[in-house]
């Protein structure tokens, strides 16, 4: 049987079905060609062509070729590990964003010295320029092969493959169960680095064996690798967990429990400033504040559908007076019950209710990560009840408010995704299509570019997800806007229309920051702990050169406090350089230095946390300057 393939030069050719891509592309290959795409799917030269389509080439200059490189690097690393540690058992080793990993079952964790040895062995394998050869073999043959190799994890995977044929890749004496894609040979893996080792349960299940996961990265050029490693070092410097401790913003204590945050005074003050800004802006835009409990009868979550679709992410119930109660994972059912508390008219809609509501979700201990992944967090939640004719305008307003909030905190770049119906969902396909269409139309009418994220909607409705780009180029999921025709129906909420009949409102779920904890963690890393003046817990520090300057410094301190500037004193009998250095480490925006000259002129010498010295300034002028920064919410 033959299939039609469109070649890179646009010509068409009939080729035997199952022929390897390299045979079809042999006249188009250059030194920089490392792979191909068939109908936009990345393949390697060993891939058998089984469907018609368009073939295009991938070179080392194409970002998509990094998947081939990193997947191959994972195999090279696995071969090196097997040669150095023959007792290690292979699990899985995919390419991931920014790198690759491979999981091994071994008697102990791998040390930094082990990683150095593995890197050296990888270099030898790379120098051999071993071809990566694909073989498609019967399932029984694969079982026999990996039984002989004593690879139990591979056997488990093979037995779950429904097809009667499986693919393996060989490079020299090393063989792995894999469907590709890979580079043509190991010699193309030139710039690589093994980064770390972490524990990982087989298939992410705590009931399974603990494996050792070696992470690495690879690029086609040494320059790209060095640039990436420099970014990693900068990311370590900005790590919110380290800065949170150094700046005394928050902590997580074993006595309290993993994933539960203790907000220290400085962190709690920043949180208050964010909350106050959030509440004020919502009230300006026609929202009303509501407050709801932390627990409810478990039956409420049965009505909402969370017990059917979300139970594994909920904490175990508690029994009170022989009735089961549940820590809330969401705020929405409470807002619905407020809506149901009395009869509603079409004239009231849209109703916009917002709440900084703390919710609790069970996350496995292995995925908890500082403020970014926790078990108790506060959503900047809101629910809008509207008529169908109001839906698009309300989505518009949500998008506008989202952009306003993100830009205020200094985020100007983001990615937008439209997440569609998942495999498990409630409601009819017709309702889902209607909801997805409303979100799509709003994005297109707004002129916003977006990508479809298939199957990533929540069980009750599709959503728009917005990922913000931080100063290091990383994207973080924060904002979400969800259209829900389903939960209003499950709770049977209505309004009286102009025709004096009952109608079903549409519900919009939306969060702009996502959760205060996660957003706060992103802010710490984005700002490297140096919060803009309006958010800084201490905006200025008054530093004396000697004890004789304290009386004037105390008067300055009181004038600043009277102007609502968050200021602290450092009148200690320490060297000036030491006190300035400490203030810089605490990321305080302004250091107000007072010595003989300042006392004589009743003025201030001002040093910024960046080390910039400003001209001598009066107290009144400094107050005017800092007030302007606070009012404008200037991002430095």
């Amino acid at each position: 049987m033959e299939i039609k393939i469109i070649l890179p030069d646009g010509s068409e050719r009939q080729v035997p079905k199952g022929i390897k891509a390299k045979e079809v592309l042999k006249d188009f290959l250059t030194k920089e060609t490392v792979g191909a795409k068939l109908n936009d799917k990345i393949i390697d030269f060993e891939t058998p062509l089984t469907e018609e389509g368009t073939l295009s080439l991938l070179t080392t200059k194409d970002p998509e070729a990094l998947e081939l490189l990193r997947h191959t690097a994972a195999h090279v690393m696995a071969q090196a590990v097997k040669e150095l540690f023959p007792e290690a058992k292979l699990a899985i080793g995919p390419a991931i964003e920014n790198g690759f990993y491979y999981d091994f079952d071994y008697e102990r964790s791998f040390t930094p010295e082990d990683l150095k040895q593995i890197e050296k062995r990888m270099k030898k394998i790379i120098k051999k320029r071993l071809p990566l050869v694909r073989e498609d073999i019967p399932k029984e043959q694969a079982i026999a092969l990996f039984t002989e190799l004593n690879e139990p994890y591979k056997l488990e995977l093979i037995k779950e493959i429904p097809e009667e044929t499986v693919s393996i890749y060989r490079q020299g004496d090393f063989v792995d169960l894999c469907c590709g894609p890979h580079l043509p040979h190991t010699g193309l893996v030139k710039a690589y680095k093994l980064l770390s080792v972490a524990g990982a349960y087989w298939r992410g299940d705590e009931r399974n064996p603990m494996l050792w996961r070696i992470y690495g990265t690879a690029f086609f050029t040494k320059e790209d690798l060095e640039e990436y490693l420099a970014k990693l070092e900068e990311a370590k410097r900005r790590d919110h967990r380290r800065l949170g401790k150094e700046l005394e913003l928050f902590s997580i204590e074993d006595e309290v429990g993993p994933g539960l945050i203790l907000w220290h005074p400085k962190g709690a003050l920043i949180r208050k400033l964010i909350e106050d800004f959030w509440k004020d802006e919502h009230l300006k835009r026609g929202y009303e504040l509501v407050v709801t409990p932390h627990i409810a009868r478990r039956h409420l979550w049965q009505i909402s559908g969370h017990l059917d679709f979300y139970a594994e992410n909920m904490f175990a119930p508690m029994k009170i007076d022989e009735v089961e109660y549940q820590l809330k994972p969401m705020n929405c059912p409470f807002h619905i019950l407020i809506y149901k508390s009395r009869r509603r008219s079409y004239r009231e809609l849209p109703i916009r209710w917002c709440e900084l509501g703390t919710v609790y979700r069970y996350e496995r201990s292995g995925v908890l990560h500082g403020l970014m992944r926790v078990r108790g967090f506060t959503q900047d939640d809101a629910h809008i009840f509207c008529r169908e004719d109001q839906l698009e305008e309300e989505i518009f307003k949500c998008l506008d408010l989202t952009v306003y909030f993100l830009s205020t905190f200094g985020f100007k770049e983001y990615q937008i995704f439209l997440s569609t119906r998942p495999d498990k969902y409630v409601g009819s396909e017709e309702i889902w299509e209607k909801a997805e269409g409303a979100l799509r139309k709003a994005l297109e009418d707004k002129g916003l570019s977006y990508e479809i994220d298939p199957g990533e909607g929540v069980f009750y409705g599709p959503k728009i997800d917005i990922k913000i780009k931080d100063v290091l180029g990383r994207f973080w999921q924060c904002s979400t806007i969800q259209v829900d025709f389903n939960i209003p129906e499950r709770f049977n909420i209505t309004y009286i229309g102009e025709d004096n009949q009952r109608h079903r409102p549409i519900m919009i779920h939306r969060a702009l920051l996502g959760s205060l904890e996660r957003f706060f963690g992103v802010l710490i890393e984005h700002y490297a702990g140096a919060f803009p003046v309006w958010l800084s817990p201490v905006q200025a520090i008054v530093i004396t050169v000697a004890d004789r300057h304290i009386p004037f410094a105390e008067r300055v301190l009181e004038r600043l406090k009277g102007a609502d500037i968050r200021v602290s004193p450092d009148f200690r009998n320490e060297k000036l350089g030491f006190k300035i250095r400490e203030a810089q480490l605490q990321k305080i925006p302004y250091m107000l230095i007072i010595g003989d000259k300042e006392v004589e002129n009743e003025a201030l010498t001002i040093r910024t946390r960046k080390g910039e010295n400003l001209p001598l300034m009066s107290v009144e002028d400094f107050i005017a300057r800092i007030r302007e920064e606070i009012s404008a919410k200037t991002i430095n």
Side-chain angles (χ1 to χ4, degrees):
M1 180 180 176
E2 291 190 334
I3 56 175
K4 184 176 72 174
I5 296 295
I6 300 175
L7 298 173
D9 63 357
S11 63
E12 296 181 6
R13 184 184 301 175
Q14 295 290 329
V15 301
K17 184 176 182 179
I19 189 173
K20 288 190 175 182
K22 64 183 177 183
E23 297 299 324
V24 180
L25 292 169
K26 59 185 177 182
D27 295 333
F28 298 92
L29 303 182
T30 67
K31 287 184 178 180
E32 290 191 340
T33 309
V34 294
K37 290 173 71 177
L38 177 63
N39 299 331
D40 294 327
K41 179 183 178 182
I42 298 173
I43 62 173
D44 60 32
F45 298 148
E46 293 285 315
T47 302
L49 303 180
T50 58
E51 60 182 85
E52 295 186 338
T54 301
L55 270 179
S56 57
L57 298 174
L58 285 177
T59 72
T60 56
K61 292 182 170 61
D62 292 312
E64 292 165 301
L66 287 170
E67 180 182 337
L68 296 160
L69 170 66
R70 289 164 178 169
H71 198 173
T72 305
H75 277 227
V76 172
M77 179 179 72
Q79 182 177 356
V81 170
K82 288 294 288 186
E83 290 179 3
L84 292 169
F85 308 95
E87 298 304 314
K89 306 301 179 191
L90 300 173
I92 59 171
I96 56 174
E97 186 180 6
N98 296 324
F100 61 89
Y101 71 79
Y102 212 113
D103 289 344
F104 302 94
D105 189 344
Y106 192 54
E107 61 187 4
R108 60 170 175 81
S109 176
F110 295 98
T111 66
E113 284 303 314
D114 292 334
L115 296 190
K116 290 179 183 177
Q117 292 301 313
I118 295 167
E119 282 187 344
K120 287 181 181 178
R121 184 58 63 98
M122 288 175 69
K123 188 174 183 179
K124 291 182 179 179
I125 295 167
I126 290 164
K127 279 186 176 180
K128 292 179 181 178
R129 296 172 63 88
L130 299 173
L132 281 93
V133 181
R134 177 182 173 127
E135 295 178 20
D136 292 278
I137 61 176
K139 193 171 178 180
E140 293 79 5
Q141 185 179 336
I143 291 172
L145 172 63
F146 286 99
T147 299
E148 182 183 351
L149 293 172
N150 192 19
E151 295 290 357
Y153 299 99
K154 299 297 181 183
L155 287 170
E156 183 177 328
L157 293 171
I158 293 169
K159 290 173 183 177
E160 294 178 358
I161 296 173
E163 292 79 16
E164 291 304 312
T165 301
V166 300
S167 58
I168 62 172
Y169 276 78
R170 294 184 184 272
Q171 58 199 52
D173 296 329
F174 179 75
V175 61
D176 202 353
L177 175 73
C178 185
C179 58
H182 288 287
L183 298 175
H185 59 81
T186 62
L188 291 166
V189 181
K190 295 178 180 177
Y192 62 93
K193 180 70 176 175
L194 300 187
L195 302 172
S196 61
V197 180
Y201 291 106
W202 171 236
R203 295 188 153 182
D205 191 331
E206 295 172 359
R207 296 167 294 183
N208 288 335
M210 169 69 79
L211 307 178
W212 301 112
R213 178 171 294 177
I214 301 178
Y215 285 98
T217 192
F219 292 87
F220 282 111
T221 68
K222 185 179 179 181
E223 293 74 20
D224 286 344
L225 175 63
E226 288 175 349
E227 182 182 343
Y228 177 72
L229 295 177
K231 277 189 176 182
L232 285 185
E233 286 303 311
E234 179 63 16
K236 288 179 184 177
R237 189 179 75 82
R238 292 170 177 264
D239 191 309
H240 74 281
R241 294 166 297 178
R242 180 178 68 82
L243 289 172
K245 183 177 182 179
E246 290 178 0
L247 301 177
E248 298 183 87
L249 301 175
F250 72 93
S251 64
I252 302 170
E253 306 294 342
D254 286 340
E255 291 86 346
V256 176
L260 302 171
I261 308 302
L262 298 177
W263 293 81
H264 293 211
K266 289 180 180 178
L269 177 55
I270 298 172
R271 175 172 170 153
K272 175 194 179 296
L273 295 168
I274 294 172
E275 289 181 352
D276 289 349
F277 169 63
W278 187 90
K279 290 177 181 177
D280 291 345
E281 291 300 325
H282 278 77
L283 291 173
K284 286 179 189 176
R285 288 165 169 78
Y287 285 80
E288 297 174 293
L289 295 170
V290 297
V291 180
T292 61
H294 291 240
I295 64 171
R297 291 188 173 188
R298 190 170 170 83
H299 177 66
L300 184 63
W301 310 109
Q302 186 69 59
I303 300 172
S304 70
H306 286 89
L307 285 181
D308 294 328
F309 295 90
Y310 206 76
E312 71 275 10
N313 298 108
M314 297 167 65
F315 278 97
M318 62 189 84
K319 189 163 280 191
I320 303 172
D321 296 333
E322 301 305 314
V323 176
E324 284 192 333
Y325 281 75
Q326 180 72 52
L327 278 171
K328 66 174 176 178
M330 305 282 185
N331 300 301
C332 37
F334 295 93
H335 295 191
I336 288 174
L337 293 180
I338 295 174
Y339 182 96
K340 286 188 73 173
S341 64
R342 68 171 174 81
R343 183 169 162 165
R344 305 286 174 179
S345 164
Y346 74 96
R347 297 180 185 276
E348 297 178 67
L349 303 184
I351 292 173
R352 307 182 189 99
W353 287 332
C354 61
E355 176 182 16
L356 292 167
T358 302
V359 298
Y360 303 88
R361 299 180 188 174
Y362 173 69
E363 298 279 3
R364 293 182 183 276
S365 57
V367 301
L368 296 174
H369 180 75
L371 293 172
M372 306 302 195
R373 199 78 176 262
V374 294
R375 288 176 172 168
F377 58 92
T378 301
Q379 286 184 312
D380 69 315
D381 214 352
H383 294 97
I384 301 166
F385 301 88
C386 65
R387 306 189 307 266
E388 190 168 339
D389 62 292
Q390 298 169 324
L391 180 58
E392 186 173 355
E393 183 181 356
E394 290 305 310
I395 297 172
F396 276 7
K397 289 180 178 179
C398 288
L399 288 168
D400 287 341
L401 188 55
T402 299
V403 170
Y404 172 71
F405 266 87
L406 297 181
S407 62
T408 299
F409 289 100
F411 298 104
K412 305 292 186 181
E413 296 182 63
Y414 34 80
Q415 295 175 332
I416 302 176
F417 296 88
L418 175 56
S419 301
T420 58
R421 186 176 71 245
D423 293 335
K424 295 182 178 180
Y425 62 92
V426 294
S428 67
E429 289 187 18
E430 181 184 356
I431 285 177
W432 273 84
E433 288 172 5
K434 202 172 188 179
E436 287 174 12
L439 290 173
R440 184 181 288 106
K441 188 174 188 302
L443 288 170
E444 291 172 354
D445 288 353
K446 272 297 216 183
L448 296 171
S449 60
Y450 65 93
E451 296 177 37
I452 298 293
D453 200 359
E456 290 302 313
V458 288
F459 70 87
Y460 51 77
K463 59 178 178 170
I464 293 171
D465 284 328
I466 299 176
K467 296 182 179 181
I468 56 176
K469 184 179 180 181
D470 71 8
V471 71
L472 294 181
R474 302 170 300 181
F475 284 93
W476 302 93
Q477 172 62 55
C478 289
S479 313
T480 185
I481 302 168
Q482 305 168 0
V483 173
D484 184 357
F485 289 85
N486 287 305
I487 289 184
E489 186 173 335
R490 294 173 75 92
F491 280 90
N492 192 29
I493 61 172
T494 60
Y495 65 89
I496 303 301
E498 196 171 4
D499 58 1
N500 210 32
Q501 299 298 311
R502 291 184 178 274
H503 298 269
R504 187 87 65 207
I506 300 168
M507 188 174 180
I508 300 174
H509 308 246
R510 58 103 287 222
L512 306 182
L513 310 181
S515 83
L516 293 186
E517 285 74 9
R518 181 180 177 83
F519 190 72
F520 190 67
V522 172
L523 285 183
I524 293 173
E525 298 196 2
H526 186 61
Y527 299 144
F531 285 87
V533 171
W534 75 280
L535 285 176
S536 292
V538 179
Q539 296 167 322
I541 184 168
V542 179
I543 300 174
T544 52
V545 177
D547 287 351
R548 63 180 178 274
H549 307 128
I550 291 176
F552 177 62
E554 286 178 334
R555 294 199 299 274
V556 170
L557 197 69
E558 290 308 309
R559 288 166 73 182
L560 293 174
K561 286 181 178 178
D564 292 327
I565 309 299
R566 296 188 291 277
V567 62
S568 65
D570 189 349
F571 300 164
R572 294 175 298 166
N573 187 19
E574 297 282 358
K575 291 183 178 179
L576 178 62
F578 174 78
K579 293 198 276 189
I580 289 173
R581 175 63 178 159
E582 280 205 337
Q584 284 180 317
L585 289 174
Q586 287 300 305
K587 316 285 187 182
I588 298 172
Y590 291 108
M591 287 150 269
L592 314 181
I593 299 166
I594 295 176
D596 290 339
K597 178 178 64 175
E598 289 74 26
V599 171
E600 181 181 345
N601 292 283
E602 292 196 346
L604 305 169
T605 291
I606 300 169
R607 182 184 176 92
T608 71
R609 61 185 162 202
K610 292 182 179 179
E612 178 187 6
N613 290 310
L614 303 181
L616 203 66
M617 190 179 298
S618 69
V619 178
E620 289 74 17
D621 285 347
F622 174 72
I623 290 173
R625 175 193 176 101
I626 200 169
R627 276 182 167 171
E628 184 179 346
E629 282 191 62
I630 295 167
S631 175
K633 294 182 171 56
T634 304
I635 304 293
N636 296 323

